[in-house]
Amino acid sequence: MKDNYFKQRDKLNQEEIRKVLYNLPYFCDEFIRGIESNTTPLTRLGYAQDLSRFFKFLTTEIIEFKDNRIKDLTIDDLSKITATHLEIYLNYLSGYYNESDKYLSNTPVTKARKLSAIRCLLTYFYKKDKLAQNVSQKVNTPKIKEKEIIRLEVDEIVKLLDNVESPSYFSKRQNSYNRITRKRDVGILTLMLGTGIRVSECVGLNIEDIDFNVNGFKVTRKGGGQSILYFSDEVAKTLKEYLEERLNNEKVSPNETALFLSLRNTRIGVRAVEKLVKKYSESCIPLKHITPHKLRSTFGTNLYRETKDIYIVADVLGHKDVNTTKKHYAAISEDARKSVANIVKLRDSTLNDVN
């Protein structure tokens, strides 16, 4: 059986991990292998890349390590890393020039992620009694400011979908592409707005994953688990219209199983979906920066408002921790503030009757 999108993605990530590890110290291979059972290949690749940047910093910026090649670093060298070194590194990440003399900077979120990779490495060897202490625990994680949750209101959803079906903001060239991809783009947007699936989950769908008998589909979740999600008749209508066009396209290989296709008639990619969301939204909703994740936020918020059940929302969105749902999607605090606005009375309403 032909490997699906997610298995192919994992294979590519495994290959990239091996390439990165080739230039890293020997103990990094042990670390990556040791965390394999509870991490995804994408997570391990991110760790390997972040560690590569850190060791590059150590051997070029920190005097105690400047005589070392990255690949020659040992566990003993790892034990020489101090909390101060890590704090200097976090400061360095605020702005530096890379090997191509390009200036790069990192947000607190990115800094926190890079520190997490180092902390995970040091914790791993500390637990294996190969390090006497874990200095990363002495370093504060960069403070991350809470962002305002951006989502679409009902009228903005209508504007967005109308702009796909009857674009009035585009050039002639853009309109020519829209005529070719219109049914596909409506299908993608309505599916994401109507189910809250992640963009990676969306592009990974195959035709056989869809079952119109129950208006449901099988989705591979973040982390590799699978779930069955259900969609409305409105979503089903747009998917059927797209599928009729897609299945009648003679240019598509009979071996292509992907549900959503690119203009080259192969599986559409995450970046392409991000671009189409931006293209359709920025012209009709200029005050909001809309991404596929904002469509997910929109669904999560609307589902909570209809059900008032945060656990259902967490389950449908595929969150392992309900606190993630509370924090990012449900806009509970805003709804609560509105609901209690008229509870507290400042003056007895009967006073007006007396007067």
Short mmCIF file of all heavy atoms in Angstrom, two decimals, residues 80-109:
data_model
loop_
_atom_site.label_atom_id
_atom_site.label_comp_id
_atom_site.label_asym_id
_atom_site.label_seq_id
_atom_site.Cartn_x
_atom_site.Cartn_y
_atom_site.Cartn_z
N LYS A 80 30.52 21.68 31.14
CA LYS A 80 31.15 22.99 31.35
C LYS A 80 30.18 24.14 31.03
O LYS A 80 30.50 25.30 31.31
CB LYS A 80 32.39 23.12 30.48
CG LYS A 80 33.49 22.13 30.81
CD LYS A 80 34.64 22.22 29.81
CE LYS A 80 35.69 21.14 30.06
NZ LYS A 80 36.76 21.18 29.02
N ILE A 81 29.05 23.81 30.43
CA ILE A 81 28.06 24.85 30.12
C ILE A 81 27.46 25.36 31.42
O ILE A 81 27.07 24.58 32.29
CB ILE A 81 26.95 24.29 29.20
CG1 ILE A 81 27.55 23.87 27.85
CG2 ILE A 81 25.84 25.32 29.00
CD1 ILE A 81 26.58 23.14 26.95
N THR A 82 27.37 26.67 31.54
CA THR A 82 26.82 27.29 32.75
C THR A 82 25.51 28.00 32.45
O THR A 82 25.17 28.23 31.28
CB THR A 82 27.81 28.31 33.32
OG1 THR A 82 27.93 29.42 32.40
CG2 THR A 82 29.18 27.69 33.56
N ALA A 83 24.81 28.36 33.50
CA ALA A 83 23.57 29.13 33.34
C ALA A 83 23.86 30.46 32.66
O ALA A 83 23.06 30.94 31.85
CB ALA A 83 22.91 29.35 34.70
N THR A 84 25.01 31.03 32.96
CA THR A 84 25.40 32.31 32.33
C THR A 84 25.56 32.15 30.83
O THR A 84 25.15 33.02 30.05
CB THR A 84 26.71 32.82 32.95
OG1 THR A 84 26.52 33.03 34.34
CG2 THR A 84 27.14 34.13 32.29
N HIS A 85 26.15 31.03 30.41
CA HIS A 85 26.29 30.77 28.97
C HIS A 85 24.91 30.76 28.29
O HIS A 85 24.74 31.30 27.19
CB HIS A 85 26.98 29.42 28.72
CG HIS A 85 28.41 29.40 29.11
ND1 HIS A 85 29.04 28.28 29.60
CD2 HIS A 85 29.36 30.38 29.10
CE1 HIS A 85 30.30 28.54 29.85
NE2 HIS A 85 30.53 29.82 29.56
N LEU A 86 23.95 30.13 28.95
CA LEU A 86 22.62 30.05 28.37
C LEU A 86 21.96 31.42 28.32
O LEU A 86 21.26 31.75 27.36
CB LEU A 86 21.76 29.07 29.17
CG LEU A 86 22.24 27.61 29.20
CD1 LEU A 86 21.27 26.74 29.99
CD2 LEU A 86 22.43 27.06 27.80
N GLU A 87 22.18 32.22 29.33
CA GLU A 87 21.61 33.57 29.35
C GLU A 87 22.25 34.44 28.27
O GLU A 87 21.56 35.23 27.61
CB GLU A 87 21.81 34.19 30.73
CG GLU A 87 20.93 33.54 31.79
CD GLU A 87 21.31 33.95 33.20
OE1 GLU A 87 22.38 34.57 33.38
OE2 GLU A 87 20.54 33.63 34.14
N ILE A 88 23.56 34.26 28.06
CA ILE A 88 24.24 34.99 26.97
C ILE A 88 23.67 34.55 25.63
O ILE A 88 23.46 35.37 24.73
CB ILE A 88 25.76 34.73 27.02
CG1 ILE A 88 26.36 35.33 28.29
CG2 ILE A 88 26.46 35.32 25.79
CD1 ILE A 88 27.82 34.95 28.52
N TYR A 89 23.39 33.26 25.50
CA TYR A 89 22.83 32.74 24.25
C TYR A 89 21.45 33.34 23.97
O TYR A 89 21.16 33.75 22.83
CB TYR A 89 22.73 31.21 24.32
CG TYR A 89 22.15 30.57 23.09
CD1 TYR A 89 22.70 30.80 21.83
CD2 TYR A 89 21.05 29.71 23.18
CE1 TYR A 89 22.17 30.18 20.70
CE2 TYR A 89 20.52 29.10 22.06
CZ TYR A 89 21.08 29.34 20.82
OH TYR A 89 20.56 28.75 19.70
N LEU A 90 20.60 33.42 24.97
CA LEU A 90 19.27 34.00 24.79
C LEU A 90 19.38 35.46 24.37
O LEU A 90 18.62 35.94 23.52
CB LEU A 90 18.45 33.88 26.07
CG LEU A 90 18.03 32.46 26.47
CD1 LEU A 90 17.31 32.48 27.82
CD2 LEU A 90 17.13 31.84 25.41
N ASN A 91 20.35 36.17 24.94
CA ASN A 91 20.58 37.56 24.54
C ASN A 91 21.09 37.64 23.11
O ASN A 91 20.67 38.50 22.33
CB ASN A 91 21.57 38.20 25.51
CG ASN A 91 21.86 39.65 25.13
OD1 ASN A 91 22.88 39.93 24.50
ND2 ASN A 91 20.99 40.56 25.53
N TYR A 92 21.97 36.72 22.75
CA TYR A 92 22.52 36.64 21.39
C TYR A 92 21.42 36.43 20.36
O TYR A 92 21.44 37.01 19.27
CB TYR A 92 23.53 35.49 21.35
CG TYR A 92 24.00 35.06 19.99
CD1 TYR A 92 25.03 35.73 19.34
CD2 TYR A 92 23.43 33.95 19.36
CE1 TYR A 92 25.49 35.31 18.09
CE2 TYR A 92 23.87 33.52 18.12
CZ TYR A 92 24.90 34.20 17.49
OH TYR A 92 25.35 33.78 16.25
N LEU A 93 20.43 35.61 20.72
CA LEU A 93 19.34 35.31 19.78
C LEU A 93 18.47 36.52 19.46
O LEU A 93 17.72 36.51 18.48
CB LEU A 93 18.45 34.19 20.35
CG LEU A 93 19.07 32.80 20.40
CD1 LEU A 93 18.15 31.83 21.13
CD2 LEU A 93 19.38 32.28 18.99
N SER A 94 18.59 37.56 20.28
CA SER A 94 17.80 38.78 20.01
C SER A 94 18.18 39.40 18.69
O SER A 94 17.37 40.07 18.05
CB SER A 94 17.99 39.79 21.15
OG SER A 94 17.49 39.27 22.36
N GLY A 95 19.42 39.20 18.27
CA GLY A 95 19.87 39.73 16.99
C GLY A 95 21.29 39.33 16.69
O GLY A 95 22.19 39.58 17.50
N TYR A 96 21.51 38.64 15.56
CA TYR A 96 22.85 38.19 15.20
C TYR A 96 22.94 38.01 13.69
O TYR A 96 21.92 37.97 12.98
CB TYR A 96 23.19 36.88 15.90
CG TYR A 96 22.31 35.71 15.49
CD1 TYR A 96 22.69 34.83 14.48
CD2 TYR A 96 21.08 35.49 16.11
CE1 TYR A 96 21.88 33.78 14.10
CE2 TYR A 96 20.27 34.43 15.74
CZ TYR A 96 20.68 33.57 14.74
OH TYR A 96 19.87 32.53 14.36
N TYR A 97 24.16 37.91 13.17
CA TYR A 97 24.38 37.66 11.76
C TYR A 97 24.73 36.19 11.56
O TYR A 97 25.59 35.65 12.27
CB TYR A 97 25.53 38.53 11.23
CG TYR A 97 25.16 40.00 11.12
CD1 TYR A 97 25.42 40.87 12.17
CD2 TYR A 97 24.53 40.50 9.98
CE1 TYR A 97 25.06 42.21 12.09
CE2 TYR A 97 24.16 41.83 9.89
CZ TYR A 97 24.44 42.68 10.95
OH TYR A 97 24.08 44.01 10.86
N ASN A 98 24.08 35.56 10.59
CA ASN A 98 24.37 34.15 10.34
C ASN A 98 25.58 34.00 9.41
O ASN A 98 26.26 34.98 9.08
CB ASN A 98 23.13 33.44 9.79
CG ASN A 98 22.74 33.93 8.40
OD1 ASN A 98 23.44 34.75 7.78
ND2 ASN A 98 21.64 33.42 7.89
N GLU A 99 25.82 32.75 8.98
CA GLU A 99 26.98 32.46 8.14
C GLU A 99 26.95 33.19 6.80
O GLU A 99 27.98 33.42 6.18
CB GLU A 99 27.08 30.94 7.89
CG GLU A 99 27.33 30.11 9.14
CD GLU A 99 26.07 29.91 9.97
OE1 GLU A 99 24.98 30.33 9.52
OE2 GLU A 99 26.17 29.35 11.07
N SER A 100 25.74 33.55 6.36
CA SER A 100 25.60 34.28 5.09
C SER A 100 25.57 35.78 5.29
O SER A 100 25.19 36.53 4.39
CB SER A 100 24.31 33.82 4.38
OG SER A 100 24.31 32.43 4.17
N ASP A 101 25.94 36.21 6.50
CA ASP A 101 25.97 37.63 6.86
C ASP A 101 24.59 38.27 6.80
O ASP A 101 24.45 39.46 6.54
CB ASP A 101 26.95 38.41 5.95
CG ASP A 101 27.48 39.66 6.64
OD1 ASP A 101 27.63 39.63 7.87
OD2 ASP A 101 27.72 40.66 5.94
N LYS A 102 23.57 37.44 7.05
CA LYS A 102 22.21 37.95 7.11
C LYS A 102 21.81 38.15 8.57
O LYS A 102 22.06 37.30 9.42
CB LYS A 102 21.25 36.95 6.45
CG LYS A 102 19.79 37.40 6.45
CD LYS A 102 18.89 36.36 5.79
CE LYS A 102 17.44 36.80 5.80
NZ LYS A 102 16.54 35.77 5.19
N TYR A 103 21.22 39.31 8.84
CA TYR A 103 20.84 39.62 10.22
C TYR A 103 19.55 38.89 10.58
O TYR A 103 18.56 38.95 9.86
CB TYR A 103 20.63 41.12 10.40
CG TYR A 103 20.34 41.53 11.82
CD1 TYR A 103 21.37 41.59 12.77
CD2 TYR A 103 19.05 41.84 12.24
CE1 TYR A 103 21.11 41.94 14.08
CE2 TYR A 103 18.78 42.20 13.55
CZ TYR A 103 19.83 42.26 14.47
OH TYR A 103 19.57 42.61 15.77
N LEU A 104 19.57 38.18 11.70
CA LEU A 104 18.41 37.42 12.16
C LEU A 104 18.07 37.83 13.58
O LEU A 104 18.94 38.21 14.37
CB LEU A 104 18.71 35.92 12.13
CG LEU A 104 19.09 35.30 10.79
CD1 LEU A 104 19.49 33.84 10.97
CD2 LEU A 104 17.96 35.43 9.78
N SER A 105 16.79 37.77 13.90
CA SER A 105 16.34 38.04 15.26
C SER A 105 15.26 37.04 15.61
O SER A 105 14.64 36.42 14.73
CB SER A 105 15.82 39.47 15.39
OG SER A 105 14.70 39.68 14.54
N ASN A 106 15.03 36.86 16.90
CA ASN A 106 14.07 35.86 17.36
C ASN A 106 13.10 36.46 18.37
O ASN A 106 13.49 37.28 19.21
CB ASN A 106 14.80 34.69 18.01
CG ASN A 106 15.64 33.90 17.03
OD1 ASN A 106 15.17 32.96 16.40
ND2 ASN A 106 16.90 34.28 16.90
N THR A 107 11.86 36.07 18.27
CA THR A 107 10.84 36.50 19.23
C THR A 107 11.00 35.73 20.53
O THR A 107 11.67 34.69 20.56
CB THR A 107 9.43 36.24 18.67
OG1 THR A 107 9.24 34.82 18.53
CG2 THR A 107 9.25 36.91 17.31
N PRO A 108 10.38 36.19 21.60
CA PRO A 108 10.42 35.43 22.86
C PRO A 108 9.90 34.00 22.70
O PRO A 108 10.41 33.08 23.35
CB PRO A 108 9.51 36.25 23.78
CG PRO A 108 9.66 37.65 23.28
CD PRO A 108 9.76 37.52 21.79
N VAL A 109 8.91 33.81 21.83
CA VAL A 109 8.38 32.45 21.60
C VAL A 109 9.47 31.55 21.01
O VAL A 109 9.66 30.41 21.45
CB VAL A 109 7.17 32.49 20.65
CG1 VAL A 109 6.73 31.08 20.26
CG2 VAL A 109 6.01 33.23 21.29
#
